[in-house]
Each structure stands twice: as C-alpha cells, then as structure tokens.
Amino acid sequence: GTLKMMTLLDEYTRQSLAIQVERQLTAAQVLAVLEKAMARCGMVSSLSLPNFSRKGAPFLHRPYVIG
C-alpha cells in the first residue's frame, strides 16, 4: 500500500523537527505532530506548506492559530 509522509523542518536551522509516516494522515494527526513539535521546540511565527495541493485541503478545514 501507499504510505504518506509528513516532514516538519525548521527552515532557518534546517533541523528536522518531526517525521510522521502513516497509511493515512488525518487532520487530527497533523495537528498533533505540530503541537508536539511546538511544545518541544517552541512556538513558530509562520508555517509554510510547500507542495500543498487541493487534495490536501481537509487539513485546513479550520484555522490553525500560531503564536
């Protein structure tokens, strides 16, 4: 089967903050990864979603407040 991979990088330091691999990634799982990374590394001032397509739109069904 197909695997989905979410990678979370600090664009300044290029440090990998999280890698999540699942057969299916739900919005709740994505938010949990973001929250865990921010709890460990601190809040972020912006969030960039490269290679984000309309197919991934369910992740943005509600606003995610940063900062």
Side-chain angles (χ1 to χ4, degrees):
T2 303
L3 294 175
K4 308 291 181 188
M5 182 168 51
M6 174 188 171
T7 57
L8 186 60
L9 300 174
D10 180 318
E11 289 185 344
Y12 181 74
T13 65
R14 306 303 295 167
Q15 177 183 7
S16 175
L17 303 177
I19 299 173
Q20 184 77 17
V21 180
E22 302 287 343
R23 292 198 185 279
Q24 180 180 0
L25 280 169
T26 66
Q29 288 172 308
V30 170
L31 293 176
V33 170
L34 289 171
E35 289 169 356
K36 188 183 284 187
M38 285 190 279
R40 191 177 67 249
C41 303
M43 295 296 286
V44 298
S45 60
S46 67
L47 186 62
S48 174
L49 301 169
N51 301 324
F52 187 75
S53 67
R54 283 195 159 292
K55 188 175 182 182
F59 290 133
L60 296 180
H61 72 282
R62 65 185 169 123
Y64 192 71
V65 178
I66 299 171

